[in-house]
Structure formats: C-alpha cells, structure tokens
Amino acid sequence: MGSIDTKLLIAQSFIELVEQEGLQKVSVSNIVERSQRNRKTFYYHFSDRSKLIQWIFRYGMAEELKKRVSEDELVYPRNDAGDLARLPYYTFIKEGVRSINADAFFEALDACFRSKKKYYAEVLSETSIDSLSEYLFQLYVPALRNDIEFILSNRFLNEANQQFLAEFYTGAFITYFKRRICGKLADDERALSDMGPFSNIIHSSIASEINAQQRERML
C-alpha cells in the first residue's frame, strides 16, 4: 500500500469515528485500531490529530478545485512541504485589470464541506488553538493579502490596512461557512444557496472599499 493510500485509509477511519463518536472521543489509539495500522505508521504520516484534520481538508479541497478550474488558475502553497505542497488550496481568476472572480473557490469550499457534512460539523465546532477554523484563518489570510495586492495594482494602501481587510474578510467567510455547516443545513442544500448574485461578494466588497479609499485620497 502506497503512502497516499495509507493516508486515505487513516483519514477515512478517522472520519467514520468522528461521525459515530464525536471528535472529542476519538484518540490516536482508536484511529489505529479502526484502520488496522499501528501507531508508528500513524505518526510517520501525521504528527498529531490536528495535522490529520488539516490534511483531510487540504486533500478534499484540492480534489474539488481540480474539478472546477484549469491548472493555471490553481494556487499552490508557498511554505508547505511534502505532499501538501502539491495540493492546490485556492484560485486566482482575473476579471479585468483589477478584478478577481472567486466563485469557483467558494463553490469548491462548499462542496468540500458538504461532502462530509457530519464530520465537518464536528471539526469546525472545535475552538482550540489548533482547530480547523484557526488553520483555515492562517491559511487564507495570506491568500487574500495577495488578492488585495493585485486589486491595488500599484495604488497605495498601507500594510496595516491591507492586513485588516485580509483578516476581516477571511474571518467573515469562515464564520459564514462554519455557521451553515454546523447549523441545520439539509443534506442536499448548498451552504451557498442564499448567495445568489452575491457569490463574489468578498472580492467585490474588497475592490469597492479600496476604490472608495483611493477616491478619498485624491480629494
């Protein structure tokens, strides 16, 4: 069995346990017993349970992104090592000179969460420092910072303001998805079902705020 197959086996065993028992009741011992692998094998692939949770998200998200966008529109991490470095986690799709369309990214995120809704409802409810929610925040703030730099396109906005925008809007979409997935969302209902014409609201809002700020600077 290859490395990726072993990881997928461990991941599926963990997902099943979380869905059956709840996240807090699942230990590494439970995972190795369900997967019929030993602790050495688990720790060879994952340093702890939180790294397993992160990998499950990244692998599932990469699969959903690849279904929706071309290779040249995929964004890969700059700082990850190992197989995570080969898993896209974001998109960069330009629309015009200073516009970005993030529809495909949010559709992929929606599909990723809904594909294992019961599991994600559990892991997204966790609030510890190494929770999935915190990981998502740390992962996507830099991605939005890069988008903000593109939207600025040589216009000036100080670093503190750029960081604020990135953190504010990242927190907004993570909180939205978290509430939807952890709430009373029907099995066949999309988390984005109510967005309608506002599917690109994060990036259109960022662009609108930046444009308004730039106009004020010119007055």
Side-chain angles (χ1 to χ4, degrees), residues 48-72:
D48 56 32
R49 200 180 63 165
S50 65
K51 290 297 188 292
L52 171 57
I53 291 172
Q54 293 168 15
W55 186 85
I56 290 170
F57 168 75
R58 289 290 300 278
Y59 184 87
M61 186 62 177
E63 292 296 296
E64 294 296 339
L65 286 171
K66 289 175 183 178
K67 295 176 186 176
R68 289 166 171 78
V69 302
S70 61
E71 180 64 28
D72 62 349

Side-chain angles (χ1 to χ4, degrees), residues 113-131:
F113 286 152
R114 286 191 299 109
S115 68
K116 302 175 181 63
K117 181 180 176 294
K118 189 174 181 180
Y119 162 79
Y120 276 114
E122 279 286 326
V123 297
L124 286 170
S125 296
E126 188 180 24
T127 58
S128 67
I129 192 64
D130 59 353
S131 66

Side-chain angles (χ1 to χ4, degrees), residues 47-206:
S47 60
D48 56 32
R49 200 180 63 165
S50 65
K51 290 297 188 292
L52 171 57
I53 291 172
Q54 293 168 15
W55 186 85
I56 290 170
F57 168 75
R58 289 290 300 278
Y59 184 87
M61 186 62 177
E63 292 296 296
E64 294 296 339
L65 286 171
K66 289 175 183 178
K67 295 176 186 176
R68 289 166 171 78
V69 302
S70 61
E71 180 64 28
D72 62 349
E73 295 172 328
L74 294 172
V75 176
Y76 290 80
R78 297 177 180 178
N79 300 319
D80 281 335
D83 61 348
L84 282 184
R86 297 186 289 273
L87 297 176
Y89 72 107
Y90 196 53
T91 62
F92 183 71
I93 304 174
K94 294 187 290 185
E95 280 193 345
V97 178
R98 291 171 173 161
S99 299
I100 292 174
N101 187 329
D103 286 2
F105 164 70
F106 288 113
E107 289 290 345
L109 189 60
D110 186 354
C112 177
F113 286 152
R114 286 191 299 109
S115 68
K116 302 175 181 63
K117 181 180 176 294
K118 189 174 181 180
Y119 162 79
Y120 276 114
E122 279 286 326
V123 297
L124 286 170
S125 296
E126 188 180 24
T127 58
S128 67
I129 192 64
D130 59 353
S131 66
L132 179 61
S133 296
E134 181 62 24
Y135 174 74
L136 294 175
F137 187 80
Q138 298 302 326
L139 181 66
Y140 286 115
V141 165
L144 258 65
R145 275 296 300 266
N146 290 335
D147 289 352
I148 289 165
E149 289 176 7
F150 172 79
I151 292 169
L152 279 168
S153 296
N154 298 318
R155 295 176 293 177
F156 176 77
L157 184 65
N158 69 52
E159 292 290 324
N161 290 157
Q162 291 185 47
Q163 186 67 18
F164 166 76
L165 288 175
E167 291 186 3
F168 181 85
Y169 284 105
T170 301
F173 79 73
I174 290 173
T175 299
Y176 177 83
F177 273 100
K178 183 175 178 178
R179 288 178 62 87
R180 293 285 284 168
I181 297 300
C182 297
K184 296 180 179 179
L185 190 68
D187 290 340
D188 60 348
E189 183 182 2
R190 295 165 58 249
L192 300 178
S193 59
D194 297 332
M195 292 188 75
F198 304 107
S199 59
N200 199 41
I201 191 170
I202 297 294
H203 288 77
S204 60
S205 295
I206 291 173

Side-chain angles (χ1 to χ4, degrees), residues 6-23:
T6 301
K7 284 188 170 185
L8 287 169
L9 175 62
I10 292 171
Q12 185 57 38
S13 298
F14 177 63
I15 291 166
E16 292 172 358
L17 285 166
V18 169
E19 290 177 340
Q20 293 167 8
E21 308 293 337
L23 180 61

Side-chain angles (χ1 to χ4, degrees), residues 214-219:
Q214 294 296 313
R215 287 193 295 271
E216 290 182 5
R217 289 187 70 239
M218 299 298 293
L219 296 177

